[in-house]
Amino acid sequence: MQLNFKYVSRRTGSILLVALLSLSGCGGGSSDNTSGMAGLRGRITFDSVPAVASSPELSDRLTAKLDYNRTKQLPARGVLVEAIADNGVAIASTQTDANGNYLLNLPANTSVRIRASARLLHNATSGASWDFSIRDNTSSGYLTPGSEAALYAIEGAQFVTGTTNPSRDLHAASSWNGSGYTAGGRAAAPFAILDMEYAAMQKVLAVDSHAVFAPMIAYWSTSNRPASGDPSSGFIETSHWENVGSRPGLYILGAENVDTDEYDSAVIVHEWGHYFESRFSRSDSSGGSHGPGDALEMGLAFGEGWGNALSGMVRDDPVYVDTVGPQQSLPGTVFDLNTIDDSAPKGWFSEGSVQHLLYQVYKSPAIGFSPIHRVMTGPQKTTTAFTSLFSFATYLRAAVSPAGQDDLDHLLAGIDTVHGTALDIWGTSQTLPPSIAAIRPDQSSFVLPVYTILTPGQPAITVCRTNYFEDDGDNNKLGNVRYLRLKILTDGVHQLQIDSPDEASLEFGLFQSGSPVEEKELSVGDATNAAYFDLLAGDYVAAISNAMHPDACFTLTLSR
């Protein structure tokens, strides 16, 4: 049977045919139908190409590639299946089960075709609900106000209902021909992305059966490449979660022989982890470039470590593989969540340390995923501090048994991070880790204390920041951003004044429980060295940064 690979416009219900694929499928038999209805069953599957890690000869380094020789046909789980009449209207719909099977009850003697869309849809007035779809950011609907980007789907040939033992199976193929993808093909790609979203969703539902998932779109196209520019032309820089703008969602790379991520299952779950933070929990990450060996701003370190660790939790596989290059076979990125690279610094500022700790906590018989989920959706979401390993670990320690506390303390000690009863959300008792002291023993004042207390009416405080760990201009590394705690006792206008021996300026962002209050720029040597904030009594935190000076110290005074 011939299947059509289609994009479906949900706004109008019409079908926009973009490309035809010759895909495998099957269907069968016929009989009388006296009830006026005909049952139709079938199975939806897709090609899954494993992203594998291997160690080449004469090298101990693991390399990444897509292994097309090990391609498997997997069930398309939970996807939307519809019977489409000749006028393009869906006359019945259902979802596949965990084995990719579906069952439809259709009017007899009716001309239809079966469509399977890259969409997980479950609407409910109470209890769990979700709506995840894979759409094309290079389609016209992406730029059209009030419309949606085209939805990926596969369709079977037209047939008449009312046959004996009717069965209509659809299969989305990878279209790999041994050296490249067939032009206009790659029908399996959207379903491979969706299947990892299904797996991540099931991980959450296993511990929260009433979870309500905010609708989310993943944008994928064969034109999506790591370049800056217009997403509608495929320039998405990297696979990422976009939380703001007119088209929020996951953006997934797909440019053949450049960088494709649809089969890099760890990458898909990592990005879904940022969706989870945004919609179920909270992230105070500064964003920007990062790597496993970097010393990062603590919010970024936790957010990226969380995404990497979640990829292991969902797949129950510690090996993270990200393929790249011609035939998706260059070395790429590979790491193991069970280890920490010897060359990486250890601490709360390292995504390598954070991801290792989170994955080991998940594997701990005394902890596991349930308390991790409760912390992420509970106190981590509402913490008065910035989200970091300090806040997460403090709340987790309070949520688990003594045996779980022992496991957590051991893991924290292993990454030179404060632990035990000394642990708090502020990292108050944190000392300079050996990995940083060995590099720059004079860095203590640029890193610690993690938070400096700024109190109205009290003597001035001095805060130092550094660009020492930064080499890319993103201003998101350890010491680039410093953190303050403010306790405002009375309502009213407060003055913040900055002084420095050098001409300098800083960005001062004020937050309360994760919500931005106000951001201002202060400069030494002109009238903007003071700023005014009209505040209600309460607890606040602030992030201060300055990208212009490698090392700078500032004196801050807060008064009524």
Side-chain angles (χ1 to χ4, degrees), residues 19-31:
L20 296 178
L21 295 183
S22 178
L23 305 178
S24 61
C26 60
S30 69
S31 86

Side-chain angles (χ1 to χ4, degrees), residues 372-385:
I372 294 173
H373 177 268
R374 290 199 307 273
V375 167
M376 289 294 290
T377 58
Q380 181 82 339
K381 184 176 182 178
T382 59
T383 183
T384 54

Side-chain angles (χ1 to χ4, degrees), residues 200-235:
M201 183 176 68
Q202 294 303 311
K203 198 72 176 182
V204 172
L205 289 171
V207 297
D208 182 7
S209 61
H210 291 84
V212 175
F213 296 84
M216 191 268 287
I217 296 171
Y219 293 103
W220 174 86
S221 166
T222 58
S223 297
N224 283 0
R225 63 191 60 247
S228 299
D230 187 350
S232 67
S233 297
F235 303 121

Side-chain angles (χ1 to χ4, degrees), residues 283 419 461 463:
S283 172
H419 51 279
I461 63 167
V463 179

Side-chain angles (χ1 to χ4, degrees), residues 7-16 87-90 115 135 144 146-148:
Y7 300 127
V8 182
S9 170
R10 288 290 169 192
R11 182 172 64 89
T12 63
S14 62
I15 301 171
L16 176 62
N87 62 3
V89 174
R115 172 189 295 157
R135 297 178 181 271
T144 305
S147 185
E148 290 181 317

Side-chain angles (χ1 to χ4, degrees), residues 302-531:
F302 185 82
E304 297 307 319
W306 160 256
N308 292 338
L310 185 65
S311 76
M313 297 177 198
V314 167
R315 300 175 303 119
D316 279 311
D317 184 348
V319 180
Y320 186 107
V321 178
D322 183 5
T323 62
V324 69
Q327 296 192 347
Q328 296 64 245
S329 62
L330 291 188
T333 299
V334 181
F335 55 80
D336 189 333
L337 295 168
N338 284 326
T339 63
I340 301 176
D341 194 318
D342 291 339
S343 64
K346 291 183 180 180
W348 69 94
F349 46 80
S350 164
E351 68 176 282
S353 292
V354 173
Q355 69 199 28
H356 172 75
L357 180 141
L358 291 176
Y359 189 66
Q360 303 312 307
V361 163
Y362 164 72
K363 294 199 307 179
S364 166
I367 305 177
F369 187 70
S370 183
I372 294 173
H373 177 268
R374 290 199 307 273
V375 167
M376 289 294 290
T377 58
Q380 181 82 339
K381 184 176 182 178
T382 59
T383 183
T384 54
F386 287 115
T387 57
S388 71
L389 181 60
F390 296 117
S391 59
F392 173 84
T394 299
Y395 298 130
L396 183 65
R397 196 174 190 280
V400 299
S401 67
Q405 292 176 352
D406 288 345
D407 286 351
L408 177 60
D409 288 342
H410 176 74
L411 291 165
L412 288 168
I415 58 170
D416 301 320
T417 299
V418 61
H419 51 279
T421 57
L423 176 66
D424 66 9
I425 64 175
W426 311 105
T428 304
S429 300
Q430 181 62 53
T431 57
L432 192 67
S435 59
I436 298 301
I439 300 171
R440 284 285 300 270
D442 60 339
Q443 288 298 305
S444 180
S445 64
F446 296 100
V447 175
L448 298 173
V450 178
Y451 290 85
T452 303
I453 298 174
L454 181 60
T455 304
Q458 295 297 309
I461 63 167
T462 299
V463 179
C464 300
R465 49 90 57 212
T466 181
N467 282 351
Y468 178 80
F469 299 100
E470 179 184 349
D471 59 6
D472 51 26
D474 270 356
N475 202 35
N476 63 1
K477 304 304 186 290
L478 180 66
N480 289 169
V481 182
R482 299 303 309 275
Y483 313 99
L484 305 178
R485 292 174 61 187
L486 294 78
K487 189 172 186 64
I488 304 302
L489 299 177
T490 58
D491 299 352
V493 176
H494 290 70
Q495 181 193 60
L496 177 70
Q497 183 171 327
I498 172 179
D499 292 293
S500 174
D502 305 308
E503 285 194 18
S505 63
L506 62 82
E507 296 291 335
F508 185 94
L510 191 64
F511 298 81
Q512 189 170 46
S513 297
S515 297
V517 175
E518 198 166 0
E519 182 175 336
K520 294 189 177 182
E521 182 174 345
L522 295 92
S523 298
V524 173
D526 59 32
T528 60
N529 73 325

